[in-house]
Amino acid sequence: MRRAALVATVLTASAAVTLTPVTASAAAPYKGANTAAVQDDFNGDGYRDLAVGAPHASNGGVDEAGSVVVLYGSASSVSATRRTVITQATTGIPGSSEDDDEFGSTVASADLDRDGYADLIVGAPHEAVGADYARGSVTVVWGGPNGLQGGTNVSVPTGYGEGRTYCRFGLSLATGDMNGDGAPELSVGSSCEGATYTGPFTRTGKAAQTVRDTFYGETRGVVMGDVDGDGKAEQFWLPGPTDGDLRGPVYVQHGGKPGEPNPTSVRTELPYADGHAGVVGDINGDGYGDLVTGVSTDDSMSGGPAGWAHRGGEIQVLYGSARGITADQRPTVYHQDTAGVPGTAENGDMFGQSISIGDVDGDKYADVLIGSPGEAVGTRASAGAAVLLRGSASGLTTAKAAGYTQNTAGVPGTAETADQFGAAVHLADLNGDGKPETIVGVPTENSDGCVWIARGSAAGPVPSGSVNVCGKSAGITVHEVKGYFGAALASTHVEL
């Protein structure tokens, strides 16, 4: 059900601490971590790095405490050996490892303190706060010339989630510069309400301003990106299923001028759009960002009333313009019954569970990678798949569409029941050649989970010679439950 509007503004602060890194690198930042090419560059060496969440990893006998592994990029891409492993038991990271915290359920990055190095942002939506189970937390780990070093918690706004416990603060994360001052904002979704922190941040975790927004109630997804070409990010809130709108409403809030509160109180519902999670990128090359949303839950999965996604799940595309994305625009919908999309729509495929956007072939049109972790491969239920749809001057197209599973030639491993290949997906140029690698999480592969990494080329992803990096080899520990390495990457996925 839609809630009435209430916006309160407060300031937050928390303490900075010290973390000893595993790796060291360049002495000076490369260009600045908020440029598109190196926005995930935590050590300033000019290569994007890969943050991988393993929310069910253990800390000794503490199950599902959670870990994040950062694999550092280089001219030869990433490997399991050049890494930093971060948990709540790591020296300098606030909090402590507890059962079911699920630290690393969400990950994101931005240069929050404007020192030229990307900072890692980690959500632990099941973190207990005092006696409140799953109140949730968000931690920032600071980037620098020696890699990630020092951490602090992001404080919730005053009055946040009053009278409620199961808030899952950190359920979704988004960053972007909403007022054009060069300091990115951070937005955090939860099962209670949204919060946006206006940059820049200090190393104590204090933001310039915090906005608590209770208008939407639950905020399953949040997205930032510039869809009107003014150099400032718009903010999209995706509350998730509501009474009468199971596919989920979509709202847009526009950025303000430098020094103004963010986000502004002016919000617009996009009545024809739906989504539980989303990303922004320029699919048709016109200079305006486009919004891609996913609804992966279909009627067969809901256990309740009908009206969810197309059978098997769907994505929707709304195109930006000089006017941005307007309320009268109707999205283009893609699913596995759409002509040219690989696969066949079947109950519980979860097509659209994860989404990433990037130009895989260097043609100046952003392409869309979609995870479908419930996809059956032959008789192997939930083995999982990923689908790549190409951008073009006319928008997203099924021409040259490709599907990938662990039975695809060149992909390491074998499709097995419940591997969940595609639970998370990500496109990022890890070797600096200008063509993003394709990264797919396989969180229930074996006991630890893996990520599949295929190099980019002028023709797109190259499965031949691609590799799996798995959790145990990358430094996580596993006790009585699977580690779920690869369950979270820096691109969006739907947290149920």
Side-chain angles (χ1 to χ4, degrees):
M1 182 176 295
R2 312 286 168 79
R3 275 86 170 176
L6 171 65
V7 179
T9 301
V10 296
L11 297 180
T12 62
S14 54
V17 285
T18 302
L19 167 68
T20 301
V22 171
T23 60
S25 190
Y30 176 84
K31 294 185 179 178
N34 290 328
T35 61
V38 291
Q39 59 189 349
D40 303 322
D41 184 7
F42 301 114
N43 59 4
D45 64 355
Y47 296 100
R48 291 182 68 169
D49 307 314
L50 178 63
V52 183
H56 291 188
S58 67
N59 176 35
V62 181
D63 280 321
E64 301 183 65
S67 299
V68 176
V69 179
V70 172
L71 305 174
Y72 290 97
S74 70
S76 56
S77 189
V78 297
S79 74
T81 57
R82 193 167 181 266
R83 67 177 191 249
T84 292
V85 181
I86 300 165
T87 76
Q88 288 181 299
T90 301
T91 301
I93 294 299
S96 58
S97 292
E98 300 165 313
D99 286 323
D100 304 321
D101 277 351
E102 299 188 16
F103 180 84
S105 292
T106 51
V107 294
S109 75
D111 182 10
L112 295 180
D113 59 355
R114 291 193 299 185
D115 66 349
Y117 300 92
D119 307 306
L120 175 67
I121 307 155
V122 182
H126 284 230
E127 171 101 32
V129 178
D132 294 338
Y133 170 71
R135 182 74 170 173
S137 69
V138 172
T139 301
V140 177
V141 186
W142 303 106
N146 295 314
L148 291 160
Q149 191 172 21
T152 187
N153 279 338
V154 175
S155 296
V156 298
T158 298
Y160 169 84
E162 286 182 339
R164 302 182 63 181
T165 58
Y166 192 71
C167 281
R168 299 193 293 170
F169 185 72
L171 192 65
S172 55
L173 303 168
T175 61
D177 183 4
M178 294 187 66
N179 59 12
D181 66 355
E185 280 61 65
L186 167 65
S187 289
V188 181
S190 79
S191 296
C192 287
E193 57 201 48
T196 295
Y197 301 82
T198 300
F201 286 69
T202 69
R203 283 291 180 109
T204 65
K206 182 178 180 179
Q209 188 176 53
T210 299
V211 174
R212 171 188 171 222
D213 199 332
T214 64
F215 176 83
Y216 311 105
E218 178 174 358
T219 48
R220 178 173 294 193
V222 59
V223 190
M224 288 194 200
D226 181 9
V227 298
D228 58 10
D230 67 353
K232 295 177 289 189
E234 279 67 54
Q235 179 187 56
F236 298 87
W237 285 110
L238 289 71
T242 64
D243 294 348
D245 190 354
L246 297 176
R247 296 184 182 203
V250 178
Y251 295 87
V252 58
Q253 292 190 192
H254 297 279
K257 297 177 181 178
E260 288 184 345
N262 281 295
T264 62
S265 60
V266 178
R267 60 179 64 83
T268 302
E269 182 174 7
L270 305 178
Y272 302 112
D274 310 290
H276 298 165
V279 292
V280 169
D282 187 4
I283 294 171
N284 56 9
D286 64 355
Y288 304 105
D290 309 309
L291 175 67
V292 184
T293 63
V295 187
S296 59
T297 302
D298 63 20
D299 289 348
S300 74
M301 301 170 61
S302 69
W308 296 74
H310 182 91
R311 184 184 186 190
E314 66 186 62
I315 66 165
Q316 300 187 5
V317 183
L318 290 159
Y319 293 97
S321 69
R323 297 174 59 212
I325 293 173
T326 56
D328 59 351
Q329 187 177 157
R330 293 180 181 270
T332 305
V333 180
Y334 297 82
H335 42 69
Q336 288 183 295
D337 280 338
T338 301
V341 174
T344 301
E346 300 164 314
N347 288 343
D349 281 346
M350 300 180 73
F351 182 84
Q353 165 67 17
S354 55
I355 316 168
S356 188
I357 194 163
D359 181 6
V360 301
D361 51 13
D363 65 356
K364 308 304 181 184
Y365 302 109
D367 310 300
V368 180
L369 183 65
I370 306 132
S372 183
E375 179 84 16
V377 179
T379 60
R380 298 168 180 84
S382 297
V387 170
L388 180 67
L389 302 180
R390 304 296 184 104
S392 72
S394 58
L396 197 62
T397 174
T398 60
K400 299 192 293 182
Y404 305 94
T405 74
Q406 288 188 294
N407 282 357
T408 300
V411 176
T414 302
E416 299 168 309
T417 299
D419 275 349
Q420 296 188 73
F421 183 92
V425 297
H426 190 44
L427 296 171
D429 180 12
L430 303 174
N431 61 7
D433 68 354
K435 300 175 182 64
E437 274 62 61
T438 294
I439 304 132
V440 177
V442 201
T444 46
E445 173 84 2
N446 303 323
S447 66
D448 50 351
C450 302
V451 291
W452 172 59
I453 304 172
R455 67 180 176 87
S457 75
V462 181
S464 178
S466 61
V467 299
N468 276 347
V469 175
C470 297
K472 288 180 180 178
S473 67
I476 75 163
T477 59
V478 175
H479 187 229
E480 293 183 349
V481 298
K482 293 192 174 190
Y484 272 61
F485 180 82
L489 299 167
S491 295
T492 192
H493 65 281
V494 177
E495 281 285 332
L496 302 176

